[in-house]
Amino acid sequence: MKKLLLSLVVLSIAYSCRADPEVAAWKERAEGITIVRDDWGIAHVHGATDADAVFGMIYAQAEDDFNRIEVNFLNSQGRLAEAEGEEEIWRDLRMKLFIDPDEMKAMYDESPQWLKDLMDAWAEGLNYYLHTHPEVTPRVLDRFEPWMALTFSEGSIGGDIERVSLSQLEAFYGTPDAQIMARGTLDEEVYVLAEPTGSNGFAIAPSNTVDGHALLLINPHTSFYFRSELQMSSDEGLNAYGAVTWGQFFVYQGFNETAGWMHTSSDADNIDEFLETVVERDGQVFYQYGDEERSIVTKQITVPYRDGDGMAEREVTVYETHRGPIVRATDGKWVSVALMEEPLKALQQSWLRTKAANLEEFLETMRLHTNSSNNTLFADSEGNVAYLHSNFIPIRDTRFDYRRPVDGSDPATDWQGVHTVEEAPNMINPANGWLQNTNNWPYTVAGALSPRQDDYPAYVSTSGENARGRHALMVLEGKTDFTLQGLIDAAYDSYLPAFEDIIPALVRSYDGLPASDPSRAALAEQIELLREWDLRFGVESVETALAIFWGTEVLGAVRSDASAAGVSSTEYVARRASPEVRLAALAAASAKLTEDFGDWRTPWGEINRFQRLTGDIVQPFDDDQPSIPVGFTSATWGSLAAYGQRTFNNTKRIYGTRGNSFVAVVEFGDSVRARAVTAGGLSSDPASGHFNDQAERYASGDLREVYFYPHQLDGHTEREYRPGG
């Protein structure tokens, strides 16, 4: 026993000797970094170098929510099953089709020194956090390496890779004969009134503002708590503030002292599928490409997963063509997918734009062509405003319809490079003095002055207008007296344009009923309320609740017919649905409201609530626990302030889970001024005073002052310390 103890002591000393120089280096770096927590718990991090600022900001992020950091990087490396178990195998395989650690390590080695310094500092900051917080037990990642930063280089809520269907990937690779015997496409559709994805951005030129300064609305719509809010600055010119996706070291949506950027999800087609004609011969697999047969690349991928208290693994043979990996099969063809795979350039672009001082410098960062899934609204202190469309748009032969899988055996379907920045439907400094995007098409970004659809290939924009886009035009057109508060008022305008056509259609259906119809008496009060409604939401509004419950019922009722007719469900309700369908949905909505809340005359704020009970990534909800009324609604109805709801948690009330998550308005003048709010609060710890301290402000759209300059922190500093202190 004594020999065993002595051996353990010797091993401990040996390990300590090896580890001490590294820990000493971390500690020495930390001594030159300052973290100031303001009275909202927001970290303001300063270091001598950009790398020091990265070390400090990621340390501060880990203090607020290490769990989300780890989960993001487990997902980005295809290692989630190591924590979650076998059910995540296919998610991990999907990521491993595109992310290879050996390739990432090689990219790290090829990186410019300035970027290596940032990645090194990022890994050191996380490792120092784990060293100084031994009570934190990582689920898997107890050591971060610099190259890992390249696996998560773009901060969107759903990256390009996540558009590959997991169920179809499993259908292809999940059975022994899957690779050779191609199967048909799975039908994954299950009806829910899904929350529209995306975000809002407005840019207002000095000509339309009271003080003659450009303004920017930053309003990402993500799942709640998806990003933290912080400031990072250095003596090397860095000074960025905004929303940072957990675990990344750059401000994703935000501003510096002279410029700001807001990303909205783009409708540009930048991911394509190719139907591959596959033949097997002599134990090898080939695919047709013009007049030749090319060998399909075959790889073995190992996917480890947690199995009870131990670990197991699954070996999968995967295939790829020159375009990308095979991800599914349909109608006897294999399907390969092509998407942007430039993590090194993407990480550079994500960082460099945070230091861009003006539009010219920002445009230069876009020439890296890796902002694939986003459009950008931009404003700067020089008075420039801009809408910049997705800057990764592959050049294609317009004879083919890339909205569907194209014939991969025809070489003409290959991508032919990437469109230049200038070839996208951008809009810079329009004469009307404003720009907007709500994940709609680019052809209304500046109203009548917008780019013309006929001037661009169809794949440049694949959607159309949406209810939020129509709403944005209402609050922007003709207004020339914007202030910060005026921009907030526009962002939270209560009008719901999706009801403009469908409520009158409902009323007409009622008015056309025979006098003897029993529905006349049963629905009279509901119809009169909706007939007089101004289509504006409010926590005290019974009309809002009734309209939304009716709208949900009727859109579900017409979904199949609308799809068959090739029109939206909203258009079908307004133009084609029968009076019986419209009125039956109103009766059903009234009955549901009465059943769930005791009276169909229940105000919207009694139903629509904000609640945060735990720090879990997937939130629980409980009607018996405290919650806060919220007036704004789902983006489905055109609410600019979006509040995506879910009611599948054994609750009667509706609780938001996505939509407005971080909201900021910024003014660029001789100095920068800003106001902001974050859903709930900054900390994931329910015991923290900053777990839910912004909830009331969030629910009412009452944005707080942003403390951008050191003097603004006077009287608003909760704590000042160094990492590890």
Side-chain angles (χ1 to χ4, degrees):
M1 183 65 178
K2 289 181 179 178
K3 288 183 178 180
L4 177 60
L5 290 173
L6 180 60
S7 297
L8 290 173
V9 169
V10 170
L11 285 172
S12 177
I13 292 172
Y15 175 80
S16 177
C17 290
R18 288 198 304 271
D20 274 352
E22 184 177 53
V23 173
W26 296 341
K27 186 174 182 180
E28 182 179 2
R29 184 192 284 270
E31 287 299 313
I33 299 167
T34 303
I35 301 173
V36 175
R37 295 280 184 174
D38 67 25
D39 47 19
W40 298 101
I42 295 164
H44 304 258
V45 181
H46 183 80
T49 66
D50 288 356
D52 290 341
V54 166
F55 182 103
M57 69 81 73
I58 203 65
Y59 183 97
Q61 262 207 341
E63 289 182 303
D64 294 329
D65 202 332
F66 177 78
N67 179 42
R68 277 184 166 80
I69 292 175
E70 184 181 19
V71 167
N72 279 348
F73 278 88
L74 288 175
N75 189 50
S76 73
Q77 297 173 70
R79 300 183 63 184
L80 197 59
E82 295 178 45
E84 299 289 348
E86 192 172 8
E87 65 271 16
E88 296 295 351
I89 281 178
W90 304 108
R91 189 180 305 277
D92 282 357
L93 178 65
R94 178 176 65 183
M95 192 61 67
K96 288 175 183 290
L97 290 174
F98 301 92
I99 299 294
D100 183 325
D102 290 337
E103 292 177 2
M104 297 299 108
K105 291 172 186 177
M107 284 185 194
Y108 168 79
D109 290 337
E110 297 165 4
S111 298
Q113 189 58 50
W114 66 264
L115 187 59
K116 278 186 180 179
D117 291 344
L118 300 183
M119 289 188 277
D120 290 346
W122 171 83
E124 291 170 8
L126 287 169
N127 292 329
Y128 189 49
Y129 169 79
L130 291 175
H131 172 77
T132 55
H133 292 76
E135 74 282 3
V136 174
T137 304
R139 302 171 72 187
V140 176
L141 296 176
D142 56 6
R143 173 81 181 185
F144 288 83
E145 300 293 338
W147 62 267
M148 293 179 181
L150 289 162
T151 68
F152 192 22
S153 56
E154 204 278 336
S156 292
I157 189 167
D160 294 345
I161 294 171
E162 294 186 14
R163 289 167 62 179
V164 172
S165 166
L166 288 179
S167 61
Q168 294 180 15
L169 189 72
E170 180 179 2
F172 186 80
Y173 287 116
T175 57
D177 63 350
Q179 294 88 0
I180 304 303
M181 301 300 293
R183 293 164 304 283
T185 302
L186 298 178
D187 181 6
E188 296 182 292
E189 294 185 312
V190 177
Y191 178 70
V192 293
L193 190 57
E195 176 66 10
T197 58
S199 310
N200 299 333
F202 297 168
I204 313 297
S207 59
N208 285 7
T209 68
V210 170
D211 294 325
H213 301 149
L215 300 175
L216 181 68
L217 167 68
I218 299 171
N219 183 201
H221 295 170
T222 68
S223 54
F224 294 166
Y225 327 118
F226 182 71
R227 298 192 178 107
S228 68
E229 180 181 350
L230 58 79
Q231 181 178 18
M232 52 192 306
S233 62
S234 78
D235 295 335
E236 294 182 335
L238 172 70
N239 195 1
Y241 187 107
V244 182
T245 307
W246 293 105
Q248 294 184 326
F249 61 70
F250 51 87
V251 173
Y252 183 68
Q253 315 265 29
F255 56 95
N256 56 43
E257 190 169 16
T258 58
W261 56 98
M262 165 62 211
H263 301 308
T264 60
S265 297
S266 181
D267 69 343
D269 179 6
N270 46 36
I271 299 176
D272 285 329
E273 290 187 324
F274 299 83
L275 297 171
E276 308 291 4
T277 302
V278 177
V279 295
E280 182 190 13
R281 185 181 302 110
D282 300 326
Q284 289 186 288
V285 186
F286 302 86
Y287 67 105
Q288 193 71 36
Y289 186 71
D291 296 331
E292 62 177 305
E293 287 184 353
R294 292 187 173 186
S295 295
I296 280 189
V297 176
T298 303
K299 295 180 180 179
Q300 289 295 121
I301 291 181
T302 301
V303 184
Y305 62 92
R306 183 168 298 282
D307 186 13
D309 293 331
M311 294 294 294
E313 58 185 35
R314 183 159 182 167
E315 293 282 342
V316 183
T317 302
V318 300
Y319 302 92
E320 65 179 49
T321 72
H322 69 286
R323 299 179 175 105
I326 303 297
V327 296
R328 66 185 182 96
T330 184
D331 299 328
K333 304 280 188 180
W334 289 11
V335 180
S336 64
V337 66
L339 50 79
M340 186 197 77
E341 296 184 76
E342 294 281 2
L344 179 54
K345 287 184 178 180
L347 191 57
Q348 291 180 75
Q349 184 172 352
S350 293
W351 175 263
L352 291 171
R353 66 174 168 243
T354 70
K355 299 186 73 172
N358 52 37
L359 179 59
E360 181 180 359
E361 292 182 11
F362 196 89
L363 287 171
E364 191 60 33
T365 72
M366 293 191 67
R367 303 194 192 286
L368 288 165
H369 291 291
T370 57
N371 195 20
S372 63
S373 61
N374 297 301
N375 309 314
T376 303
L377 278 297
F378 178 89
D380 68 22
S381 61
E382 296 176 6
N384 295 302
V385 295
Y387 166 82
L388 305 171
H389 201 61
S390 167
N391 75 325
F392 179 81
I393 306 176
I395 300 171
R396 306 164 173 95
D397 189 326
T398 56
R399 292 176 299 163
F400 302 102
D401 182 3
Y402 286 88
R403 293 173 298 179
R404 299 173 178 84
V406 293
D407 181 6
S409 68
D410 186 346
T413 61
D414 273 349
W415 289 354
Q416 304 297 320
V418 179
H419 283 284
T420 66
V421 173
E422 289 75 19
E423 290 172 339
N426 304 321
M427 178 61 63
I428 296 175
N429 295 328
N432 64 349
W434 57 263
L435 290 157
Q436 61 82 25
N437 189 246
T438 64
N439 312 115
N440 51 341
W441 59 1
Y443 307 123
T444 55
V445 293
L449 302 179
S450 303
R452 295 177 64 254
Q453 185 176 9
D454 292 345
D455 293 340
Y456 300 92
Y459 58 72
V460 165
S461 175
T462 59
S463 66
E465 188 57 279
N466 60 30
R468 280 180 294 133
R470 297 196 303 274
H471 195 174
L473 297 180
M474 290 174 53
V475 300
L476 294 173
E477 286 183 326
K479 185 173 174 60
T480 59
D481 59 350
F482 274 105
T483 61
L484 276 181
Q485 184 57 53
L487 188 53
I488 294 171
D489 294 342
Y492 285 87
D493 186 77
S494 61
Y495 191 68
L496 299 177
F499 290 109
E500 284 179 338
D501 293 328
I502 64 175
I503 291 289
L506 172 65
V507 171
R508 287 194 303 272
S509 295
Y510 176 85
D511 290 343
L513 287 174
S516 60
D517 193 301
S519 293
R520 274 203 166 272
L523 300 176
E525 189 176 352
Q526 293 95 315
I527 289 292
E528 286 311 304
L529 278 175
L530 294 176
R531 190 194 302 272
E532 299 301 323
W533 184 38
D534 60 3
L535 307 188
R536 292 192 173 276
F537 65 66
V539 294
E540 300 298 331
S541 171
V542 171
E543 296 92 331
T544 303
L546 181 61
I548 287 173
F549 273 63
W550 169 72
T552 303
E553 288 280 349
V554 76
L555 292 183
V558 306
R559 171 177 170 266
S560 296
D561 291 339
S563 179
V567 300
S568 70
S569 294
T570 303
E571 182 179 347
Y572 194 91
V573 171
R575 313 282 180 227
R576 306 191 187 193
S578 68
E580 292 78 13
V581 167
R582 295 169 183 149
L583 293 167
L586 183 59
S590 301
K592 181 170 178 56
L593 282 164
T594 300
E595 178 184 355
D596 289 350
F597 303 103
D599 193 334
W600 66 260
R601 304 167 190 81
T602 302
W604 178 234
E606 288 296 313
I607 300 168
N608 195 50
R609 313 288 288 189
F610 180 87
Q611 185 179 76
R612 191 182 192 190
L613 300 176
T614 73
D616 297 346
I617 291 177
V618 178
Q619 290 282 297
F621 298 101
D622 187 342
D623 285 342
D624 294 328
Q625 296 297 317
S627 60
I628 297 169
V630 177
F632 39 97
T633 80
S634 166
T636 298
W637 315 115
S639 180
L640 289 167
Y643 197 67
Q645 306 117 354
R646 55 195 276 176
T647 54
F648 46 88
N649 296 273
N650 299 317
T651 65
K652 300 297 184 183
R653 283 174 157 175
I654 296 171
Y655 298 98
T657 60
R658 63 174 297 120
N660 272 25
S661 50
F662 172 70
V663 187
V665 292
V666 192
E667 180 181 43
F668 299 97
D670 295 333
S671 60
V672 67
R673 291 197 306 136
R675 291 168 63 184
V677 71
T678 292
L682 189 70
S683 174
S684 67
D685 180 2
S688 168
H690 302 302
F691 176 72
N692 219 27
D693 57 337
Q694 297 186 55
E696 293 279 2
R697 283 181 174 270
Y698 170 84
S700 61
D702 182 15
L703 278 59
R704 52 180 168 69
E705 181 184 7
V706 167
Y707 311 132
F708 186 82
Y709 296 101
H711 74 267
Q712 292 176 296
L713 287 163
D714 292 345
H716 297 289
T717 295
E718 188 174 86
R719 183 184 175 207
E720 183 173 336
Y721 60 103
R722 304 190 186 285

